Structures are given as structure tokens and as C-alpha cells.
Amino acid sequence: MDEDESANDIWESLDAAYQGGMAALAAKDYPQAIGLLSHAADGDYLAAQLALAGLYLSRGQAGDAELGRRWTRKAAEDGDANAQLALALLLQGGRGGPRDDAEAVEWLARASEGGVNQATFRLANAYYAGQGVPQNHAKASELFEASARAGSLSAMYNLGVILRDGQGAPRSLPLAFAWLSLAAAQPSLTQANALAALTRLRSQMSAEELAAGALALQRLAGELRPTKRKAAALAQAEPGPPRRIGGLTPSDGFLQAGASTHSDVLVRNLVGEQTRYAFRSAMFAQASANWRTPLKSLGRAVMVTNLVAYGSQPMVASDTAVGYAGLTIGPQFISTVGRSVLLRPYLTVDATGVDWRPFATSFGAGLNLTRVLDRDTVVFLNGQVTRRDVRRSAVYSRNAELSGTESNLALRVSRRVAPWLNGSLALSGQRMDAAAVWRDYGQVRGALVLNFSLADGLLSRAGRPARVSLSAFAARRDYARTDPFIPRSTRRKDDELGYRLSAEAPLSSRLSLTAGFAATNRDSTVTIYKYRNAEGTLAAVLLF
């Protein structure tokens, strides 16, 4: 899909502002960082909201705490569990606004449901102390045990004390011994207290109770045997500032799998032949994996690399449908120029195989200038040169004629018209210098893209909105000459019109469903190249 047809147009502009903000932050240009991150955060870009909250909360200047709390709340309302925990801590501490223990408990409960163990631990503390919620030692005991089993050493200590004293759970010295032993075995803020409590407990236990405690410890140690996943949970379990605030990049990547149908009607009129119509249809199973490396600081710039693996296999096919697979690597460097311009040089390397055989490789280099005009308007100017080498194949010996050098220049203006509507206009030019001169062409293309949110602020948990996108495009392609078997006097020119309608609906914090339909009409001065095309897609997208 061409860049100007992308249904993610608004998110590309927000992502560019986010990356530029992080580049400015790495260079300690705080006014620039705040301006760019604010642009992205205003557009409901979750990573920018979190980064902006962390920046404000860490600076300590007048008014920063209020702004930090505001952006933390926005990210929490959009469903980020770590932001929900951070907001709860701000509410409990009265930072950036009035203290509100009752609301803090509500956010702790939501963060705990989202899998943040530190929130479970702090929620248990709230129930035990009656802070923002009626005191309930039994509920606190249940939450402490859940947090302890998820790896929190502090929760292990608190649960051991509860079982020792019988306050919130039936008194059990063997179980108290087991939990306190686990809490005392590893370095933590509560290790000294756990060791002292364990020493006192031993002096109070009989030989039979110590033996039962040893058995309970052995059983718990087996149930909580460390794994890589549990080690990661343990790293998050202890009290302290939320790990993600101020240090986030967007989602590491996503997996997409689905099916598509492709149908077209060709008008064939070779020299000396009667006009014929050919109908072709195919159905494909498609999958792709996209992964982005974390932003890496390079002084006044940052670097990020995108990796994309993709593939398609015919399920119901015509004789022209083939399967393919490929891999794209695209490093890019982002730096800031002045107060509102981002400079993004990038490289792309792509390798594609058809029917499990090497088919084509391409190498590209480009430069993107992004200008943030105001909070709602972004201008993109992109230039790219790509060299593509296509191998000959047994199926089609003329594949090598598709090799060549392609040059592109595109200008796009994106504007948020309303909270629920973003629009963009694009104009691009393309030049192809092919191995076969009859495949040389120049092209001019225009496109209009409209993105509608289904409801203001209706988002999934990772900054992906429920939306409908409509794009329409027109293109004119002028070839240097036509095919060798067509008379030279017949110069080929193609006019193309088309539209694309797509929708995306988040099903959960990490899963969304996408569907799309596209239609294209091409009229050519050489009738063999006239066709009508329709394509439908349905896919699931899983963030990771």
C-alpha cells in the first residue's frame, strides 16, 4: 500500500511527533520535547502521554506536578495499567492536586486487574489500614497472598505476619514460618524485618510446628520456583515508582494474521485478436510480524529500527496466484531542527521469495522532513530512492525486466479537524528507470484520506483507536513507450481511480479486528492493460 493510502495516517504523524519529542528529550531540549510530546499526547498517543507525565513529574518546576498528574490521568483513563498505578500514587500523596484516598483505591483495583503486582500489594495495604476504603483484614490477607504468589517479597513478609498474629486469616505458625523464610531469603527492603520476625517466631514454635513449617516451606518453594516470567514479575513487584512512566517507547510490535480475497476483470485486445474479458479470483491467507527496537539515544538524535516479516499463501487460487514471503529491515534516525521540524533519514532493505524461491531484493534510502505547524496540523515531505533487483524465474523468464531504480517524492498535509476526524491530502510523483526501457514510466498521484473515530476518545489499551478510514486516489502514469509486441505508435498511458474503506475495532487491550474493502479502475491507451479490481481483507492484530 502506498504511504498516502495508509489508514494509519494520523498515527504516523503522532508517532513522528513522539519520536521527535524523545529525540529532543535525549538532547535535553525540554521546550522542544514538551511541544512535540504535547502534540502527540493531545492526539491520544498513549506513549507520549506517559513520557510527558514522566517529564513533568521529574522536573519539579512550578505547575509541573499538576500537568504530570493530568497526563497520567489521561493515560490511566485510556486503560494503561501502569499509569493507573501511577495515578493512584499521586492521589495518595496529594501530588499535583488534592489527596483522594478513595479514588486512589479505585485506580489501584483497576491496575491490579490489569496485572500490575505492585498495585495488588498497595491495594492490600489500603484494605489493611482502612485507607480510602473500610478496613478489611480478611480482604487484605487475600490480596497479600495473591501478591506474594506473584513474587512480591514485601507481600510475603506481610502475609507471614498476618498468619503469625491471626489477624485477617486463621493463625498458622507453620505457614507464617514458610512465608517469612521466603521473604528473608532474598535481598529486599523488608529482608531485615523478615529475618528479625523469623528469629522471634522460631523461639515460639514447638519441634512439631517447626517440622510442619519446613514442609510448608518446601511446598511453597516448589510452587514459586523461579522462572524467567516470575523473575520479570518479581522485578516489578516491590514498591517504588512505576517503571514505565517517563521511559516508554510505543508497543514493541504486533502480529497480524488474516485472509484476503482478490478479484479482477481484464480487458484483452491484442493486435489481430478479438476483444476478450478475463475474470481472475484468488483467496489468500496472510500473516506479518512487525517489531520496533527501543529508541536509542545518539546525542541530539535517536535511532529506531523496524523489522517486518511477511508472507501470503493462496488458499483458493487462479493460475496466476502465487505465495510469497519476505523480510524488511528499516533503521531510521530522528533529530530535531529548530522548534518544530523533525529530520528523519532512513534506510530500507527488503528481500522477497516467491514459492519459496529467491525472487527480488531492494535497497532504499530516504529523507523525511516533518513540520508540526500547530497542535492539529502536520506537514510531511518525503523523498526516497529504491533499487530493486528481480531474478529471472522458470515461470516467467522476463521477470528481470522488472528490475530498476525507483524515485519518489511525496508531500502530505495532515490535519485533525475535530476530535473524531482527521484528514490528509497527499500529492506524490514517481519515476521508474527499469532494466527494460519499455517499462520506464513517470507517475503523478493524488490522494485524500479521512479517519473517523467511532467515538471521541474511544481507544484500545495501546493507543489504537476504534475507527473507520476512507481514502480515495487518482493517478496518471505515462510510459516511455509500450511493449515490444505493441506498435510503437501506440504510446501507453494509464489513468487509475480507486478507493479504500477500512475499519478497526479493539476487542481488548492487545487484540483488535480489522476489515477492509478496496476497488480500483484502470483505463489504458493499450487495452490489454485495462482492468477492474476489487479486494477484501479481514485480519486480527495482536500487540506484544
Side-chain angles (χ1 to χ4, degrees):
M1 183 187 299
D2 290 343
E3 181 182 17
D4 56 7
E5 293 181 58
S6 173
N8 294 317
D9 179 75
I10 181 175
W11 300 104
E12 182 184 350
S13 68
L14 298 176
D15 185 54
Y18 167 78
Q19 293 183 24
M22 297 303 288
L25 190 59
K28 298 183 178 180
D29 185 351
Y30 298 118
Q32 170 79 328
I34 289 173
L36 291 170
L37 289 174
S38 296
H39 172 82
D42 282 337
D44 287 327
Y45 197 105
L46 181 59
Q49 294 170 355
L50 293 169
L52 196 58
L55 175 58
Y56 279 126
L57 291 172
S58 63
R59 289 204 315 168
Q61 296 184 12
D64 280 359
E66 288 78 6
L67 289 170
R69 180 158 156 174
R70 169 197 165 192
W71 287 115
T72 303
R73 179 180 293 278
K74 186 66 174 68
E77 290 171 347
D78 283 347
D80 184 82
N82 287 278
Q84 291 166 354
L85 169 60
L87 179 58
L89 299 182
L90 293 173
L91 289 165
Q92 285 181 334
R95 187 178 179 193
R99 176 169 177 164
D100 191 333
D101 291 332
E103 186 183 1
V105 168
E106 295 176 5
W107 287 112
L108 285 174
R110 292 176 63 174
S112 178
E113 292 173 358
V116 180
N117 193 23
Q118 187 186 148
T120 305
F121 173 78
R122 292 183 179 275
L123 184 61
N125 278 332
Y127 274 102
Y128 194 85
Q131 181 182 350
V133 69
Q135 191 175 54
N136 188 332
H137 287 165
K139 179 68 172 179
S141 177
E142 294 176 5
L143 291 169
F144 277 133
E145 182 171 359
S147 182
R149 290 186 176 277
S152 171
L153 298 174
S154 298
M156 293 176 190
Y157 167 71
N158 288 356
L159 182 59
V161 171
I162 286 175
L163 292 166
R164 181 197 66 190
D165 298 338
Q167 190 173 13
R171 190 169 188 262
S172 174
L173 296 186
L175 278 177
F177 174 87
W179 283 113
L180 289 173
S181 296
L182 290 172
Q186 301 181 55
S188 72
L189 296 175
T190 58
Q191 185 181 35
N193 291 335
L195 284 170
L198 184 61
T199 301
R200 290 193 300 270
L201 181 61
R202 278 195 180 118
S203 66
Q204 302 170 12
M205 296 174 67
S206 65
E208 292 79 6
E209 288 173 328
L210 286 171
L215 289 175
L217 175 59
Q218 184 178 7
R219 175 175 57 82
L220 285 176
E223 293 174 359
L224 303 177
R225 191 176 304 280
T227 63
K228 288 184 178 180
R229 179 174 294 181
K230 288 181 179 178
L234 181 62
Q236 287 189 334
E238 296 308 301
R243 302 283 197 266
R244 293 180 64 188
I245 293 297
L248 265 192
T249 60
S251 172
D252 290 333
F254 62 91
L255 299 174
Q256 179 168 318
S260 68
T261 61
H262 179 95
S263 302
D264 55 37
V265 177
L266 292 90
V267 182
R268 297 180 62 86
N269 187 12
L270 294 174
V271 176
E273 291 187 5
Q274 186 178 2
T275 300
R276 293 182 297 165
Y277 298 89
F279 176 78
R280 303 184 302 185
S281 180
M283 179 176 290
F284 298 87
Q286 298 175 319
S288 65
N290 299 257
W291 183 65
R292 167 186 282 178
T293 63
L295 294 175
K296 181 178 180 181
S297 176
L298 300 174
R300 292 195 61 85
V302 294
M303 182 183 77
V304 64
T305 301
N306 297 293
L307 305 176
V308 182
Y310 55 88
S312 176
Q313 181 63 35
M315 293 186 295
V316 179
S318 67
D319 56 357
T320 59
V322 295
Y324 64 86
L327 177 67
T328 301
I329 302 175
Q332 61 173 308
F333 306 87
I334 308 102
S335 62
T336 57
V337 180
R339 289 296 177 191
S340 58
V341 178
L342 309 181
L343 183 66
R344 295 193 291 168
Y346 60 90
L347 302 172
T348 60
V349 180
D350 181 88
T352 306
V354 173
D355 284 341
W356 305 104
R357 299 176 183 177
F359 181 73
T361 57
S362 66
F363 303 89
L367 180 64
N368 178 281
L369 289 174
T370 303
R371 174 71 187 274
V372 180
L373 297 181
D374 53 45
R375 295 166 72 93
D376 296 316
T377 310
V378 181
V379 178
F380 298 90
L381 179 63
N382 188 76
Q384 180 175 337
V385 177
T386 303
R387 171 64 190 181
R388 183 173 179 84
D389 293 303
V390 182
R391 296 191 178 190
R392 293 181 181 273
S393 70
V395 177
Y396 186 37
S397 61
R398 294 167 61 189
N399 277 342
E401 296 169 347
L402 300 173
S403 299
T405 301
E406 184 179 292
S407 304
N408 291 275
L409 183 64
L411 174 67
R412 188 169 80 255
V413 180
S414 175
R415 180 169 177 80
R416 187 167 54 237
V417 181
W420 49 270
L421 173 62
N422 183 86
S424 68
L425 285 170
L427 181 65
S428 63
Q430 183 182 53
R431 171 67 188 174
M432 180 68 181
D433 296 305
V437 66
W438 56 275
R439 289 194 179 274
D440 290 350
Y441 64 82
Q443 175 177 279
V444 176
R445 184 185 187 90
L448 170 66
V449 182
L450 297 176
N451 289 286
F452 301 88
S453 292
L454 297 184
D456 184 10
L458 180 59
L459 301 174
S460 71
R461 302 302 186 256
R464 298 174 63 85
R467 66 170 183 261
V468 173
S469 178
L470 175 64
S471 61
F473 66 91
R476 178 65 182 267
R477 180 176 294 186
D478 191 350
Y479 284 81
R481 54 160 297 192
T482 190
D483 291 10
F485 50 85
I486 299 297
R488 285 181 175 271
S489 59
T490 307
R491 185 183 178 93
R492 179 183 171 187
K493 295 182 180 180
D494 294 351
D495 291 315
E496 192 172 73
L497 296 172
Y499 69 90
R500 180 181 299 273
L501 177 66
S502 63
E504 178 180 0
L507 303 180
S508 69
S509 61
R510 294 186 177 273
L511 181 64
S512 61
L513 189 66
T514 66
F517 177 79
T520 305
N521 177 71
R522 176 182 290 177
D523 286 319
S524 176
T525 53
V526 181
T527 55
I528 185 176
Y529 293 111
K530 292 184 178 181
Y531 70 87
R532 312 290 184 266
N533 167 264
E535 180 178 354
T537 60
L538 180 65
V541 180
L542 177 65
L543 297 170
F544 62 87

